[in-house]
């Protein structure tokens, strides 16, 4: 399993060995080093001794990707604005013996999760030379899109550098299913309803997100890992469905996924539609329901708030 950790000085020797000629070295570092080849000491002097050439003391974050076999890849992150909403990736590289196997895309996805979820960035960008199509293809696969172009000169030639970027919203909605939005349960009577609501609020720390005539939506967690429970007080169907009525998958692609489910032979018993929950405040969503392979009810749910 690929994982990400902070860069360590002993990583340098392995990382610099992945560039065996000056052309590949310049595609990796551009003009950030004034000589080739470099040594592990040169890399550590730049990273540790010179803080990545960043004047700000807390603005240079090198990472190393690794798995059970050892170091796989490397990149750095640095803020580009005083508000710390814009991060730039640099020195992106993968072990040459493991390229073309999806490691670069996975490393970038892990790094984007870190940038958006831990550093709270709103945008991440990077630069890639046009004469490096494998790297450009990898960045596009990870969700980056071209935004601008510029030129740099190497070996007496003009190299076109393409800046690519991805926003926080683009990254979090790029997957067909973003996560489970909520679990829905039913109670047989008002007493059971209040007992369940009080349990989740008072014992487990959920808060009331919205309420309507026959139900309530409770929420816990944070913006990136929310947990929601929907509880109804009308007990119709509880005997056949059990206490857990259905689970809802958060998605921006309700219609597309419902069509795929139906094409696969499963029953979509509520076709995609816009729905308004008469709560306070009023809540809008696009949704669809289908029966899964085990007979479970699954909701495709796209909240519009």
């Amino acid at each position: 399993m690929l994982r990400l950790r902070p860069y360590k000085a002993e990583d340098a020797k392995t990382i610099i060995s992945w560039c065996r000629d000056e052309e590949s070295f310049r595609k990796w570092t551009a003009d950030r080093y004034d000589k080739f080849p470099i040594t592990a000491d040169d890399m550590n002097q730049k990273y540790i001794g010179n803080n990545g050439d960043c004047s700000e003391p807390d603005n240079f974050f090198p990472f190393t990707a690794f798995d059970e076999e050892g170091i796989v890849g490397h990149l750095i992150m640095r803020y580009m604005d005083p508000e710390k909403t814009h991060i730039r990736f640099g020195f992106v590289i993968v072990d040459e013996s493991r390229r073309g196997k999806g490691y670069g895309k996975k490393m970038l996805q892990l790094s984007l999760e870190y940038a958006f979820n831990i550093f709270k960035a709103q945008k991440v960008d990077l630069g890639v030379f046009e004469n490096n199509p494998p790297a450009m293809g990898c960045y596009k696969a990870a969700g980056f899109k071209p935004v601008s172009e510029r030129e740099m000169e190497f070996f007496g030639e003009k190299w076109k550098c393409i800046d690519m970027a991805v926003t926080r919203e683009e990254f979090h909605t790029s997957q067909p299913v973003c996560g489970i939005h909520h679990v829905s349960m039913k109670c047989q009577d008002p007493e059971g309803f209040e007992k369940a609501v009080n349990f989740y609020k008072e014992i487990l720390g959920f808060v009331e997100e919205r309420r309507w005539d026959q139900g309530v939506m409770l929420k816990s967690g944070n913006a990136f890992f929310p947990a929601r429970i929907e509880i109804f007080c009308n007990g119709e169907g509880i005997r056949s469905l059990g206490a857990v009525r259905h689970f809802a998958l958060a998605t921006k692609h309700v219609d597309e996924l419902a069509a795929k489910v139906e094409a696969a032979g499963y029953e979509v018993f509520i076709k995609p539609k816009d729905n308004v929950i008469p709560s306070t405040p009023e809540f809008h969503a696009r949704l669809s329901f289908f029966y899964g392979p085990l007979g479970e009810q699954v909701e495709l749910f796209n909240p519009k708030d």
Side-chain angles (χ1 to χ4, degrees):
M1 179 178 68
L2 195 66
R3 289 172 285 181
L4 207 62
R5 62 161 171 78
Y7 168 87
K8 296 185 291 188
E10 53 264 36
D11 298 339
K13 183 177 180 180
T14 300
I15 293 169
I16 64 173
S17 72
W18 298 335
C19 288
R20 299 186 180 278
D21 57 75
E22 188 170 3
E23 181 176 342
S24 62
F25 178 76
R26 290 302 167 196
K27 288 178 181 178
W28 174 44
T29 66
D31 58 357
R32 297 300 179 177
Y33 288 90
D34 58 8
K35 66 176 183 178
F36 172 82
I38 61 169
T39 66
D41 287 341
D42 293 329
M43 185 172 179
N44 285 322
Q45 178 60 36
K46 178 177 286 290
Y47 279 25
I48 300 170
N50 297 338
N51 190 41
D53 298 331
C54 292
S55 57
E56 304 87 348
D58 191 28
N59 192 28
F60 183 74
F61 309 96
F63 291 91
T64 297
F66 68 102
D67 66 7
E68 294 76 10
E69 298 180 23
I71 296 174
V72 175
H74 166 73
L75 54 69
I76 66 97
M77 303 183 197
R78 59 189 174 95
Y79 287 111
M80 300 296 289
D81 61 335
E83 296 77 20
K84 296 188 174 181
T85 63
H86 177 189
I87 282 179
R88 188 167 182 87
F89 287 177
F91 297 129
V92 182
I93 192 170
V94 171
D95 181 348
E96 61 178 346
S97 69
R98 306 178 77 171
R99 293 171 191 168
K101 301 178 181 179
Y103 287 101
K105 177 182 176 181
K106 181 61 177 177
M107 180 179 73
L108 287 165
Q109 289 174 331
L110 289 173
S111 302
L112 287 169
E113 288 177 7
Y114 200 98
F116 290 128
N117 295 344
I118 304 300
F119 285 158
K120 311 301 183 185
Q122 296 298 317
K123 182 177 78 170
V124 173
D125 64 9
L126 49 72
V128 58
F129 289 113
E130 187 180 46
N131 61 0
N132 192 0
M136 188 178 302
C138 178
Y139 300 151
K140 286 182 178 179
F144 287 87
K145 300 176 182 177
V147 293
S148 63
E149 298 179 359
R150 51 199 167 90
E151 285 189 340
M152 302 179 74
E153 185 170 333
F154 298 99
F155 312 112
E157 301 174 344
K158 296 289 186 180
W159 285 14
K160 182 184 293 185
C161 182
I162 300 174
D163 289 305
M164 306 179 74
V166 59
T167 66
R168 178 195 192 93
E169 182 179 3
E170 289 169 341
F171 177 71
H172 283 300
T173 60
S174 62
Q175 299 300 316
V177 174
C178 307
I180 293 179
H181 186 271
H182 65 267
V183 173
S184 176
M185 299 186 292
K186 275 199 169 189
C187 299
Q188 289 182 312
D189 50 55
E191 291 77 17
F193 174 78
E194 293 301 332
K195 182 179 180 180
V197 171
N198 290 337
F199 172 81
Y200 284 102
K201 289 174 66 175
E202 296 176 10
I203 304 300
L204 297 183
F206 280 73
V207 297
E208 195 167 302
E209 188 174 35
R210 62 183 56 85
R211 182 183 284 257
W212 55 99
D213 287 346
Q214 295 184 323
V216 64
M217 182 73 77
L218 306 176
K219 181 180 179 181
S220 186
N222 56 44
F224 301 106
F225 303 101
R228 291 183 178 89
I229 295 176
E230 180 183 59
I231 305 175
F232 287 94
C233 59
N234 56 337
E236 181 183 355
I238 192 169
R239 296 298 182 189
S240 60
L241 293 173
V244 178
R245 188 182 185 196
H246 68 265
F247 64 89
L249 300 176
T251 177
K252 297 291 185 182
H253 310 278
V254 171
D255 295 65
E256 177 185 341
L257 291 180
K260 289 178 68 175
V261 167
E262 197 163 42
Y266 295 99
E267 180 185 353
V268 178
F269 62 91
I270 295 181
K271 305 295 185 184
K273 67 175 184 177
D274 292 319
N275 194 45
V276 179
I277 299 172
S279 58
T280 304
E282 196 173 71
F283 186 63
H284 295 250
R286 187 159 182 82
L287 54 83
S288 178
F289 282 81
F290 65 89
Y291 288 114
L294 300 178
E296 71 274 22
Q297 290 190 12
V298 183
E299 179 181 8
L300 301 172
F301 192 81
N302 182 11
K304 298 296 186 180
D305 57 346

